[in-house]
Amino acid sequence: MTLQTIVCVDDQPEVRRLLADVFRARGAGVVGFDDGDAAIAYLVANPADLVVLDVDLGPNRRSGIEICAALRSRLPELPVIILTGHGTIDDAVAAVKAGAADVITKDPYLEDRLELSVDKVERILQHARDRRRLEQENAALRVANERLRKVVSEPRSAIVGESAAILAVVAKIERVAPIPRPVLVLGPRGTGKELVARAIHALSPRAAAPFVTINCAAVPESLLESELFGHEQGAFTGATKLKEGKFELADGGTLFLDEIGNMSLDFQAKILRVLEYQRFERVAGSEPITVDVRVIAATNADLRQAIARGEFRADLYDRLAFEVIQLPALAQRMDDVPVLAAYFLARFRHEVAVHVREISAGALDRLARYDFPGNVRELKNVVERAVYQARGDVLTDDDVDAALPPPTSATADGDDAGLPLPARVDAFEAQLCRDALARARFNQKDAAQLLGLTYDQFRQRYRKYGLGKE
């Protein structure tokens, strides 16, 4: 490294000139003072790399040893070289005690001695900078490790279960997490596809970087391009300022594309291009933007069938499917119901002050006999609703019965059996929506979640079947 600014303090003008000539020849800027206290006042307000200080600054002034001690107390990182007239051992000992980096005798070889001393100081400073850099890097690593531990232990990143099916999923997550390639997560609604994506991110080298999510089915395709790639100011009506898209926000981290099967073929081609080249343009932009984003995509659709129908690009599937994680329906892992129920009870107790402390064997048996078409998400809602409504400290089978949805009335053997198939499907769907509303205490967002729908999708059915009038 090269010293940029050196402060020289000596009461003899000829010595200050000599010092200035020596240091300016090395490319440094030099500021001279004949008084130590004036130098301190300057250094407190201005940066410097080195102080060269005479031990004897004249009568009625503090000595260089005193000035050195004062500087070290105020600016402990600033190195000081002490100049002595006679080079006595007492002067050298006093200078070192005061915190001087070196002591040099004023003699005919002063210039050579200064060169050697400054080289020594530069090495000291470089070591100090290297040490600070390592300390900062270690501190950053400690913060990142602590954050990683918190992320991995967060409930939203936890994959809960002991069945063979879920253990196979966890094994795949652990194997693929360190590999910087896309992952495709498949499974019915409510099985925890986003949890899997979060777990992959948390166990990857990108854990300290952003995890960004978007539900592709919840955004109209006319707006999806702006959401994913951003737009320039004035790109369209209402675009009053530049907006960064999800890909930019996820730079260095992970982007979770939920319900990717809902994209049109044209938009799938745009996603494929970004995956291939990690480059795109904002809407109405002309400058390419390069990012480093790991994509995890998810859908409950059968993409193989969608490819066969010409509704999904085979090349996009191949690009996404570096690893495919298939999540089982809860009905395929019923052994996990007791573990999941206990987990959801513990979480609910942590979030809400409830008096239920445990789940009875009868309640667990009742949960195990229900098929949970809404999968793990529905189990969570049932457990929380049962705990909320329960009167005692132990959750009973009656509490669970009260929280489970009532049987649907629109069946093939019911009053709708003589209707055409589309009408029977509508009647069945309407009844499902009614049941979900009742279970959600008529909160439409919660009802949509119970059915595995977006709020907009539920609202469409709410209006279609006139549920508000009921």
Side-chain angles (χ1 to χ4, degrees):
M1 61 163 294
T2 303
L3 300 176
Q4 300 295 316
T5 303
I6 298 176
V7 172
C8 299
V9 188
D10 198 294
D11 62 333
Q12 297 177 334
E14 62 274 16
V15 175
R16 292 201 302 275
R17 284 195 294 270
L18 171 63
L19 296 175
D21 290 342
V22 170
F23 293 130
R24 284 171 183 151
R26 294 176 64 98
V30 179
V31 182
F33 294 93
D34 62 358
D35 177 75
D37 289 308
I40 289 176
Y42 172 85
L43 288 164
V44 168
N46 299 277
D49 299 307
L50 172 67
V51 176
V52 179
L53 178 63
D54 187 21
V55 72
D56 184 4
L57 294 173
N60 303 320
R61 292 179 177 176
R62 289 199 288 175
S63 71
I65 301 297
E66 293 172 312
I67 296 298
C68 179
L71 278 173
R72 297 294 293 169
S73 67
R74 290 194 176 197
L75 303 167
E77 299 295 326
L78 181 62
V80 178
I81 295 175
I82 294 287
L83 303 179
T84 68
H86 305 290
T88 66
I89 293 177
D90 289 342
D91 284 344
V93 171
V96 170
K97 286 184 176 180
D102 203 0
V103 181
I104 301 176
T105 303
K106 288 183 180 178
D107 60 19
Y109 303 103
L110 175 60
E111 187 172 339
D112 292 336
R113 293 179 187 276
L114 276 173
E115 291 283 350
L116 293 173
S117 184
V118 169
D119 287 342
K120 172 184 173 182
V121 167
E122 286 182 336
R123 290 194 299 273
I124 292 172
L125 288 174
Q126 187 59 52
H127 287 317
R129 282 178 167 81
D130 291 341
R131 186 181 67 253
R132 283 196 296 272
R133 177 179 56 79
L134 289 173
E135 289 173 350
Q136 291 168 354
E137 290 177 355
N138 287 336
L141 284 173
R142 285 194 294 271
V143 171
N145 286 337
E146 181 62 27
R147 182 182 183 278
L148 178 57
R149 283 193 291 271
K150 288 181 179 178
V151 169
V152 172
S153 63
E154 279 181 355
R156 64 180 184 176
S157 296
I159 307 297
V160 178
E162 300 172 355
S163 65
I166 206 64
L167 291 179
V169 168
V170 171
K172 276 195 172 185
I173 290 171
E174 293 174 345
R175 187 168 64 247
V176 78
I179 311 301
R181 291 293 182 271
V183 178
L184 184 60
V185 186
L186 304 176
R189 288 190 177 94
T191 49
K193 294 186 286 295
E194 184 172 339
L195 285 182
V196 169
R198 288 186 180 277
I200 293 171
H201 175 75
L203 295 173
S204 76
R206 300 169 181 259
F211 178 84
V212 179
T213 70
I214 183 171
N215 187 326
C216 301
V219 181
E221 188 151 307
S222 58
L223 300 178
L224 192 56
E225 185 169 8
S226 172
E227 286 295 315
L228 286 173
F229 306 137
H231 61 249
E232 300 288 343
Q233 182 178 357
F236 47 82
T237 303
T240 57
K241 59 182 180 181
L242 181 147
K243 175 186 175 181
E244 292 183 336
K246 301 292 188 183
F247 272 97
E248 280 185 86
L249 296 175
D251 189 19
T254 303
L255 176 60
F256 177 57
L257 298 177
D258 198 8
E259 299 299 344
I260 196 169
N262 290 62
M263 291 180 180
S264 69
L265 290 171
D266 288 341
F267 205 86
Q268 290 172 32
K270 295 179 181 180
I271 295 296
L272 177 62
R273 181 174 177 271
V274 178
L275 290 176
E276 290 284 356
Y277 302 107
Q278 294 279 298
R279 192 167 59 247
F280 59 91
E281 295 84 34
R282 297 192 190 104
V283 176
S286 56
E287 294 295 323
I289 298 169
T290 301
V291 292
D292 173 21
V293 175
R294 181 186 196 172
V295 169
I296 301 176
T299 182
N300 65 337
D302 187 329
L303 292 186
R304 288 293 190 186
Q305 288 188 8
I307 291 170
R309 294 192 304 266
E311 297 173 357
F312 199 84
R313 295 179 63 105
D315 49 2
L316 177 57
Y317 179 89
D318 291 340
R319 190 70 178 84
L320 289 170
F322 175 82
E323 176 66 279
V324 178
I325 298 178
Q326 178 72 52
L327 291 181
L330 185 55
Q332 297 174 289
R333 47 178 292 217
M334 293 301 287
D335 290 350
D336 286 331
V337 167
V339 179
L340 287 164
Y343 172 74
F344 292 137
L345 169 60
R347 272 189 62 182
F348 197 53
R349 282 177 52 81
H350 178 72
E351 297 170 5
V352 182
V354 294
H355 48 265
V356 173
R357 298 183 178 277
E358 60 181 292
I359 305 174
S360 70
L364 290 175
D365 181 64
R366 182 67 188 89
L367 289 171
R369 285 187 283 113
Y370 181 66
D371 58 0
F372 290 103
N375 294 296
V376 179
R377 182 188 295 134
E378 186 178 8
L379 172 61
K380 172 180 176 290
N381 292 332
V382 167
V383 170
E384 290 184 352
R385 190 161 54 250
V387 169
Y388 162 71
Q389 295 172 347
R391 300 296 182 186
D393 292 343
V394 178
L395 198 69
T396 67
D397 50 349
D398 289 337
D399 296 326
V400 173
D401 278 330
L404 287 170
T408 58
S409 59
T411 65
D413 298 324
D415 296 337
D416 300 316
L419 295 175
L421 179 60
R424 292 166 63 189
V425 169
D426 285 349
F428 183 70
E429 188 174 59
Q431 187 59 44
L432 287 176
C433 291
R434 290 189 191 95
D435 292 342
L437 277 169
R439 288 156 55 196
R441 298 178 180 272
F442 300 95
N443 182 304
Q444 294 180 38
K445 287 186 178 179
D446 290 347
Q449 188 178 36
L450 286 173
L451 294 171
L453 300 173
T454 67
Y455 178 68
D456 288 340
Q457 289 170 336
F458 183 82
R459 284 289 299 170
Q460 290 172 1
R461 290 160 175 78
Y462 186 85
R463 291 191 293 268
K464 175 180 178 181
Y465 302 124
L467 301 182
K469 298 176 182 179
E470 297 179 5

